[in-house]
Amino acid sequence: MLYNNFMSKNYLNLMKEEIEKVKKNNTNPKLLLHCCCAPCFLAVPESILKSFKIDIFYFNPNIYPQSEYEKRLDNIYALKEKLKLNSNIIIAEYDPSEFYDKVKGFEQEKERGERCNICIALRMEECAKNAKEKKYDYFCTTLTSGPLKNADFINKTGEDLANKYGINYLFSDFKKENGYLNSINKCKELNIYRQNYCGCEFSIR
Ligand code: SF4
């Protein structure tokens, strides 16, 4: 699954255009937001939180060890409480073998390489599938919050999944316009745990 040869778009502008459209229609559509951790959620702009009815989808079989998976989930709950979010938190099954089977042979790849593409696509597809089944209007992921993540790959994957499942995908590039910096500051302010590795055991080294 190599997605290195597609044209890069301005995903931030596409996101803003969609938010404007939603605001104009005043429909407050339902959005299922795949969330990898609380710090990445904190990079999501207010305009999205206000324009959509958001539920959080926690599907991250890549996270190692299990105690870390639970710690990140606990911090999403803490965030919900501290920010008084009206969102449901939907937790999908945690089965790390699903991740290991998919990335077999790519364990030694560097971050942003093929292992990450597989890992990201796996999590986004589960979100798209669930969003469609549960009748959300849109799906999205917080994964574009990280400076090491490939926003082109994430958004192209989102676009492909939207076509495959017949659901809207909200483009994003959350790290931009100080999103990443804001997330760091808000973590300190709200006393939210900020991990120092991406998630899988191969990213700890
Ligand atoms: S480094 Fe992050 S994105 Fe890449 S495979 Fe590991 S957990 Fe997934």
Side-chain angles (χ1 to χ4, degrees), residues 13 46 53 55 59 70 80 87 109 112-113 147 156:
N13 281 351
E46 279 287 308
K53 189 187 171 320
D55 284 339
F59 173 66
E70 284 159 7
K80 174 178 153 88
S87 305
E109 290 262 315
R112 273 177 87 95
K156 180 69 178 78

Side-chain angles (χ1 to χ4, degrees), residues 154-186:
I154 294 168
N155 283 297
K156 180 69 178 78
T157 301
E159 202 173 19
D160 290 347
L161 290 170
N163 290 332
K164 181 173 174 183
Y165 288 98
I167 183 160
N168 296 307
Y169 169 70
L170 181 66
F171 290 108
S172 73
D173 204 346
F174 294 137
K175 66 181 170 294
K176 289 196 173 162
E177 295 191 331
N178 287 329
Y180 180 62
L181 192 65
N182 287 341
S183 150
I184 294 174
N185 292 335
K186 285 189 209 161

Side-chain angles (χ1 to χ4, degrees), residues 62 99 103 111 115-116 119-120 123 149 198-200 203:
N62 52 313
F99 167 73
V103 302
E111 209 165 327
R115 188 190 69 239
C116 294
C119 170
I120 289 166
R123 292 182 283 161
K149 296 286 180 303
C198 182
C200 67
S203 63

Side-chain angles (χ1 to χ4, degrees), residues 12 15 33-45 48 111-112 120 140-152 154-155 169 171-184 186-187 194-195 198:
L12 191 67
M15 178 190 87
L33 179 63
H34 166 259
C35 188
C36 52
C37 60
C40 282
F41 183 91
L42 285 170
V44 176
I48 291 187
E111 209 165 327
R112 273 177 87 95
I120 289 166
C140 183
T141 177
T142 58
L143 286 166
T144 59
S145 303
L148 287 177
K149 296 286 180 303
N150 183 343
D152 286 331
I154 294 168
N155 283 297
Y169 169 70
F171 290 108
S172 73
D173 204 346
F174 294 137
K175 66 181 170 294
K176 289 196 173 162
E177 295 191 331
N178 287 329
Y180 180 62
L181 192 65
N182 287 341
S183 150
I184 294 174
K186 285 189 209 161
C187 278
R194 183 171 195 93
Q195 65 276 356
C198 182

Side-chain angles (χ1 to χ4, degrees), residues 20-44:
E20 281 313 306
K21 203 168 90 186
V22 164
K23 275 188 192 161
K24 212 169 145 191
N25 292 342
N26 201 20
T27 47
N28 206 226
K30 284 171 65 183
L31 183 150
L32 190 61
L33 179 63
H34 166 259
C35 188
C36 52
C37 60
C40 282
F41 183 91
L42 285 170
V44 176

